Amino acid sequence: PLLPLDPPSPPHPPPAMHKASAGSQSLADFTSAVDKTAEKVIEEQLTQMNERADTPAAKMTDLEMAGFRKLYSRYIEQKSSKQSLDWSLIQSPDKSMLKPHAELPEPEGAELKGLLGKLAVVKLNGGLGTSMGCTGPKSVIDVRGDTTFLDLIVQQIERLNTLNEGADVPLLLMNSFNTDADTAKIIQKYSDANVTITTFQQSRYPRILKDSLEPMPNTHSGFDKEDWYPPGHGDFFEALFNSGLVDTLIAQGKEYIFLSNVDNLGATVDTKILKMMADSKSEYCMELTDKTRADIKGGTIMSYDGKVSLLEVAQVPPEYLDEFKSVSKFKVFNTNNIWMDLRAIKRVMQSGGINLDIIVNPKTANGQKVVQLETAVGAGINFFNNACGVNVPRSRFLPVKATSDLLLIQSNLYAIKSGTLAVNPARQFASIPIIKLGPEFKKVSPYKARFASIPDIIELDHLTVSGDVHFGAGVSLRGTVIIVANPGSVIMIPNGAVLENKVITGNLHIMDH
């Protein structure tokens, strides 16, 4: 039987904002009038677009129309009011807001099985592999041998379900219109796995021309995928709720969602965080990890006027950017591994939904300057009770955004067991090597062609490769290695070469670094 819902309590409102000083009132009134006109124009354009659509693919659903109108209306309102944070109200989060992962207790026995029986895993599966030169969903890129991201995820959850009889942790994939059809075919190969896989699709919104504010589909006849975009992972709340899966999962006895990016191979189910969610009655928990120099622009959590909230670099006034990027005040950044209470999601959505901060993403599509209005799931932290962060080890953040990340994952730096990556115990340093590969390695196919085998990097600190460089089989890289082939030159690293603290230039001159 389901437990009765907790009595609704008001969620934390987003941080109070303070209006920037206006110029003249007449200018403000004029701007507001122009914005209201733009809002009306876009509504008329969307209606015309749907009436003229000659295929189902070119038509928005009623839910998509309502969602986009609401998003656009909030964008116009935000644009007019010019709000900013009061930096004096921002403090580093205290220990109740940012809990150390090492201090969380591990559940055992019956408690562990009971908690896993209340869990569902969601992976954000809307991205394509195009930036790495691959076709189809990014989740089907081979990351170790013939094993894909999705293969590893299914292996992880299958092991959980096999070791904990009765757990039945389901896997939900949030697809975009770009990945939905392909994913439906791909998941058929897991029909015999001990995992229930369900897909649902996030919204599909029209790109807006930057100058005329006209929806791109209105500028021509026929359907073109370039006219449309998925509005960011903040759409998760509406997509899950509108799909009916919130009620379905609750009816199955599920109480918690663990959400993460499909390409983060470190985002496995952590039962310590699951237990913390249950014990503290937290409705929302964000995993954050320590900043390095590469992460200085990552979003973080803050104490804003005494309440936990998300702070993104776009919100930071220019005069405070250096303070934001330093590790003295903001030591951690958001991994986008998020834990949420299903019943709280239902309560918040039924009481008017979640108005997440809008990200204005300028793009170029079909040679035209366009605007995409997006939201991020991390901004949802403001809307839930007892929300908090957990400072997790770096091992829980292993995203594969480029071939340099792929090289790390494919190397002997990591071992894989039942879909889970673990650092090779032979690695004597706590840090992970920094790898920078030039544009010649950007796409997966030429990247593979340039390595006869993946080098041994157990003792590597830093690798930079630029130009027409090829690696033989059995190469070992140690310390700091920099390889630069000048234009017109080719560098062939021979089979079995051991490079330790070396700089190799286009004429193959090798010197100590």
Side-chain angles (χ1 to χ4, degrees):
L2 292 176
L3 295 174
L5 293 178
D6 294 329
S9 50
H12 295 311
M17 301 294 223
H18 298 263
K19 288 191 178 181
S21 58
S24 67
Q25 188 58 46
S26 59
L27 178 60
D29 290 342
F30 174 75
T31 304
S32 178
V34 168
D35 288 340
K36 280 185 172 32
T37 302
E39 197 176 332
K40 189 175 180 184
V41 166
I42 202 77
E43 190 166 341
E44 291 172 354
Q45 294 271 15
L46 290 173
T47 302
Q48 291 172 13
M49 181 186 76
N50 254 17
E51 288 172 351
R52 285 210 320 266
D54 51 4
T55 65
K59 194 170 185 175
M60 294 175 76
T61 66
D62 290 344
L63 286 171
E64 285 173 336
M65 286 280 280
F68 185 77
R69 278 201 301 264
K70 181 180 176 184
L71 186 66
Y72 190 84
S73 175
R74 290 202 300 116
Y75 162 64
I76 292 295
E77 189 180 333
Q78 266 182 216
K79 204 156 69 84
S80 300
S81 56
K82 302 274 185 192
Q83 298 176 329
S84 61
L85 289 169
D86 182 345
W87 199 256
S88 67
L89 298 176
I90 293 176
Q91 299 295 327
S92 302
D94 60 32
K95 206 170 180 180
S96 68
M97 296 179 183
L98 183 61
K99 305 172 190 292
H101 182 266
E103 296 179 12
L104 299 180
E106 188 84 64
E108 296 177 355
E111 182 188 24
L112 173 61
K113 288 186 180 180
L115 286 170
L116 287 172
K118 297 175 181 178
L119 179 67
V121 172
V122 177
K123 296 292 179 179
L124 301 171
N125 188 47
L128 294 169
T130 46
S131 64
M132 294 172 68
C134 299
T135 57
K138 188 176 182 182
S139 55
V140 298
I141 293 176
D142 294 336
V143 286
R144 287 289 284 250
D146 296 329
T147 307
T148 67
F149 289 105
L150 209 47
D151 292 338
L152 293 173
I153 291 163
V154 170
Q155 288 174 27
Q156 292 165 14
I157 301 176
E158 187 172 36
R159 179 173 170 79
L160 268 182
N161 290 337
T162 302
L163 292 180
N164 301 276
E165 190 178 349
D168 194 22
V169 177
L171 171 62
L172 287 75
L173 301 173
M174 186 172 90
N175 302 329
S176 68
F177 68 94
N178 288 316
T179 62
D180 196 57
D182 286 340
T183 301
K185 298 173 190 171
I186 291 159
I187 61 175
Q188 291 176 14
K189 73 174 182 175
Y190 305 119
S191 57
D192 294 331
N194 186 18
V195 183
T196 302
I197 303 177
T198 304
T199 66
F200 63 105
Q201 192 173 330
Q202 69 178 118
S203 304
R204 187 194 62 164
Y205 289 163
R207 287 171 164 153
I208 301 296
L209 295 181
K210 185 178 179 184
D211 295 329
S212 68
L213 297 179
E214 186 178 13
M216 274 194 78
N218 259 8
T219 62
H220 59 85
S221 60
F223 174 74
D224 187 344
K225 261 194 173 183
E226 282 289 292
D227 294 342
W228 306 88
Y229 74 99
H233 42 62
D235 188 52
F236 159 77
F237 296 104
E238 288 204 19
L240 188 74
F241 186 72
N242 291 339
S243 71
L245 283 169
V246 170
D247 285 332
T248 300
L249 291 167
I250 289 174
Q252 293 171 353
K254 306 304 177 186
E255 296 181 19
Y256 303 102
I257 286 279
F258 171 48
L259 175 145
S260 62
N261 297 339
V262 77
D263 65 357
N264 180 6
L265 292 174
T268 57
V269 170
D270 187 301
T271 52
K272 291 168 71 170
I273 299 177
L274 181 57
K275 174 177 167 59
M276 183 278 297
M277 289 282 290
D279 290 349
S280 66
K281 293 186 169 42
S282 173
E283 294 181 348
Y284 184 109
C285 175
M286 176 186 290
E287 293 186 36
L288 303 102
T289 195
D290 292 352
K291 275 185 185 178
T292 67
R293 287 183 183 178
D295 314 308
I296 54 175
K297 291 185 178 179
T300 187
I301 60 171
M302 60 177 171
S303 171
Y304 193 85
D305 200 18
K307 296 184 178 69
V308 66
S309 186
L310 184 71
L311 178 63
E312 297 279 13
V313 65
Q315 297 172 284
V316 179
E319 63 269 29
Y320 296 109
L321 266 177
D322 288 341
E323 188 177 342
F324 174 80
K325 292 177 181 178
S326 77
V327 295
S328 56
K329 188 169 185 176
F330 304 107
K331 300 176 172 29
V332 294
F333 72 98
N334 175 21
T335 64
N336 218 43
N337 299 347
I338 310 289
W339 299 75
M340 289 169 278
D341 185 303
L342 263 168
R343 294 168 298 178
I345 291 174
K346 180 175 181 175
R347 184 194 73 228
V348 171
M349 293 305 296
Q350 285 181 330
S351 63
I354 298 179
N355 291 334
L356 302 173
D357 291 335
I358 296 172
I359 302 160
V360 181
N361 192 355
K363 293 268 187 179
T364 300
N366 285 339
Q368 301 182 85
K369 289 184 178 179
V370 297
V371 170
Q372 296 181 180
L373 304 180
E374 304 174 7
T375 57
V377 70
I381 196 169
N382 299 324
F383 296 86
F384 293 90
N385 299 317
N386 296 325
C388 67
V390 172
N391 188 358
V392 298
R394 186 78 183 199
S395 58
R396 292 194 55 74
F397 184 66
L398 297 173
V400 179
K401 303 295 184 189
T403 51
S404 53
D405 302 319
L406 200 55
L407 179 57
L408 280 171
I409 299 301
Q410 293 179 334
S411 75
N412 60 344
L413 187 69
Y414 291 100
I416 293 185
K417 184 178 180 182
S418 302
T420 301
L421 271 70
V423 175
N424 189 327
R427 173 78 175 177
Q428 297 180 353
F429 314 106
S431 61
I432 299 301
I434 295 171
I435 295 180
K436 298 178 181 178
L437 301 178
E440 299 80 8
F441 292 78
K442 183 177 181 182
K443 307 293 186 183
V444 170
S445 185
Y447 155 84
K448 285 181 175 179
R450 290 176 180 277
F451 290 99
S453 70
I454 300 298
D456 168 5
I457 63 168
I458 286 289
E459 297 180 42
L460 179 70
D461 295 323
H462 181 110
L463 172 67
T464 294
V465 183
S466 178
D468 191 358
V469 179
H470 299 259
F471 291 80
V475 172
S476 181
L477 306 173
R478 303 171 186 174
T480 296
V481 178
I482 299 171
I483 306 170
V484 180
N486 296 327
S489 300
V490 179
I491 293 180
M492 308 285 291
I493 306 298
N495 294 341
V498 178
L499 303 179
E500 182 170 4
N501 294 326
K502 300 296 180 187
V503 174
I504 301 179
T505 63
N507 60 6
L508 288 180
H509 180 59
I510 300 176
M511 67 189 90
D512 288 329
H513 173 74

